[in-house]
Amino acid sequence: MSIELRNVSKKFGPTVAVEGVSFSVADGELMALLGPSGGGKTTVLRMIAGLELPTGGDIFIRGERVNDVPVQQRNIGFVFQSYALFKNMSVFKNIAFGLKVKGWKRREIKQRVMELLRLFGLEGLERRYPHQLSGGQRQRVAIARALAPKPRVLLLDEPFGAVDAKIRQELREWLVKLHHDLNVTTLFVTHDQEEAMEVADRIVIFSRGHLEQIGSPREVYESPINEFVARFIGVMNVLELEVWGGMASLHEIQVPALGLPDGHRLRIGFRPYAVQVSPDLSLYRYLGTLRRTYFLGTMLRLEIELESGLLIRGRITKEEYAQLGLEDGQRISLQIRNYRVLATETGPLEPEIKVAYPAEPSLGENI
């Protein structure tokens, strides 16, 4: 393993920022540390870098325990969200800075910097200063500077947070290609679920200082371990139903009660694409009104109000929308094709439920 954390914790005075975190990163892996603000992801990254010391637990890099190893001896490249470029230095000198500190010879420095300029698409910009560059160019210079000394690990703290949406998308694609070409073990912190899903080989999800789940983008989306992950990754409808007479109900929504006694509550969750709609009011189980349609490129998000007033979010392709002839304000029928039974935010999800209804697909399939 390239990096391993064993039961790592961090306190700032009485405040627990990270508690009992354990995970490992394989050689050459591109991993995202994802979570809301205050979740502990940046603190974990800074402890790996050596910028913060763990209160408890151990951190290993290439099998070596580094808890007491100074940051400058860990051979790690770190890129801050603010880039932290030297304003009075040219692009060339910014990239070369770490090499000079490490005592590289002038010829070797020039060769390495020119190599990185070509690799990063920065040729011709070596004499410019940071204020003369675009946000995307500054970010590339910052990463080139971090990679110049050939570190064992590259750490990125919110690497694309300071650029606009179009440049951010370009940088994501560029980072994936760069990682494929260089095969450097890379961890990046982000609070953007889409960014993590698109870029990372695996995702580590944090909340309130705890590691909630680790897995591939598909695993954390399709098989969330608890309600927090289910809500945080993508969009999910969450309903709390009450059990009476063997069924759990919320207004017109009904599902089997799973043997729970009357008066108990059952929480279910389903993704928007699990909602199937039709203009034929006799086709599906529930009736409602399409209140609003949100255009999301190739997909459309539907806001549906059931007859009871309950709001449900659906999602279909723009081709399906046109084929069905839907429009805002129209009455429709709908069904929930599959769902999961949810536990508490910290508890596990129940196994998938498979219940067939007449003339409808089975419920409880993967969402």
Side-chain angles (χ1 to χ4, degrees):
M1 290 296 172
S2 186
I3 301 172
E4 184 178 4
L5 278 70
R6 298 180 187 173
N7 200 32
V8 171
S9 299
K10 177 64 179 179
K11 293 183 179 180
F12 294 99
T15 303
V16 179
V18 174
E19 186 172 12
V21 168
S22 299
F23 68 91
S24 58
V25 189
D27 285 339
E29 188 170 17
L30 177 55
M31 177 176 281
L33 307 184
L34 175 67
S37 297
K41 54 191 185 299
T42 295
T43 300
V44 168
L45 196 77
R46 290 176 64 85
M47 285 192 288
I48 294 172
L51 300 173
E52 300 286 353
L53 298 179
T55 307
D58 296 306
I59 299 173
F60 295 85
I61 298 177
R62 305 273 179 160
E64 177 191 358
R65 183 179 179 275
V66 295
N67 290 41
D68 303 318
V69 176
V71 58
Q72 62 270 21
Q73 295 179 21
R74 294 194 184 192
N75 194 19
I76 283 179
F78 195 101
V79 179
F80 298 90
Q81 181 180 357
S82 61
Y83 312 141
L85 296 177
F86 300 112
K87 297 179 181 180
N88 61 335
M89 290 187 184
S90 66
V91 168
F92 186 100
K93 290 183 177 180
N94 263 284
I95 297 174
F97 180 79
L99 304 179
K100 289 184 177 180
V101 171
K102 289 180 177 293
W104 284 40
K105 296 178 180 180
R106 180 175 297 183
R107 179 178 56 81
E108 294 173 334
I109 291 175
K110 183 177 181 180
Q111 182 178 350
R112 179 61 173 163
V113 172
M114 296 308 295
E115 174 188 346
L116 290 168
L117 288 170
R118 287 191 297 272
L119 181 64
F120 283 53
L122 296 169
E123 290 175 292
L125 304 179
E126 55 267 30
R127 295 185 179 181
R128 293 192 184 181
Y129 288 83
H131 72 274
Q132 298 173 311
L133 304 175
S134 68
Q137 289 168 338
R138 287 196 294 271
Q139 184 59 283
R140 293 188 186 202
V141 172
I143 297 175
R145 183 180 64 183
L147 286 173
K150 300 182 179 181
R152 294 183 291 182
V153 175
L154 176 63
L155 307 178
L156 309 171
D157 186 11
E158 298 277 6
F160 313 132
V163 296
D164 62 42
K166 184 177 185 301
I167 296 176
R168 189 158 59 243
Q169 180 60 44
E170 292 174 353
L171 283 171
R172 289 177 191 171
E173 296 170 1
W174 171 79
L175 179 61
V176 172
K177 183 180 183 302
L178 177 72
H179 180 263
H180 180 268
D181 292 341
L182 298 181
N183 200 37
V184 175
T185 304
T186 304
L187 278 79
F188 72 98
V189 162
T190 181
H191 62 270
D192 187 325
Q193 300 94 322
E194 181 181 329
E195 185 168 280
M197 297 281 284
E198 183 177 339
V199 174
D201 299 322
R202 285 195 300 158
I203 301 172
V204 186
I205 302 172
F206 292 92
S207 173
R208 295 174 295 189
H210 294 89
L211 192 160
E212 298 289 348
Q213 186 171 358
I214 181 169
S216 69
R218 183 169 185 172
E219 287 170 344
V220 298
Y221 185 82
E222 293 187 347
S223 302
I225 198 169
N226 57 38
E227 185 174 341
F228 170 80
V229 176
R231 284 177 174 269
F232 191 74
I233 299 293
V235 177
M236 176 168 281
N237 295 284
V238 176
L239 306 178
E240 187 168 286
L241 299 83
E242 191 166 4
V243 175
W244 293 104
M247 297 297 290
S249 306
L250 176 63
H251 303 302
E252 60 265 64
I253 302 293
Q254 286 192 329
V255 301
L258 307 180
L260 293 174
D262 288 356
H264 275 60
R265 294 188 176 274
L266 184 69
R267 293 168 68 81
I268 67 169
F270 51 95
R271 301 290 187 190
Y273 64 73
V275 178
Q276 193 166 10
V277 301
S278 172
D280 183 349
L281 300 183
S282 65
L283 184 59
Y284 295 135
R285 184 175 184 179
Y286 307 117
L287 297 177
T289 301
L290 179 55
R291 288 301 182 198
R292 187 169 181 183
T293 303
Y294 297 87
F295 180 73
L296 304 174
T298 59
M299 303 299 299
L300 300 174
R301 192 174 81 233
L302 310 178
E303 187 177 277
I304 305 162
E305 183 179 353
L306 301 187
E307 293 194 318
S308 62
L310 185 66
L311 291 178
I312 298 292
R313 289 170 292 183
R315 191 185 73 177
I316 61 174
T317 67
K318 64 179 182 180
E319 290 80 13
E320 289 174 315
Y321 184 86
Q323 190 174 34
L324 293 171
L326 299 177
E327 59 183 27
D328 289 0
Q330 181 177 358
R331 292 195 73 220
I332 58 174
S333 65
L334 66 140
Q335 68 177 353
I336 302 167
R337 291 182 290 184
N338 43 68
Y339 67 92
R340 285 183 180 273
V341 175
L342 304 176
T344 62
E345 286 197 359
T346 56
L349 298 190
E350 295 290 336
E352 294 173 353
I353 310 303
K354 298 183 182 298
V355 182
Y357 287 89
E360 294 185 7
S362 63
L363 300 184
E365 299 167 359
N366 262 339
I367 58 173

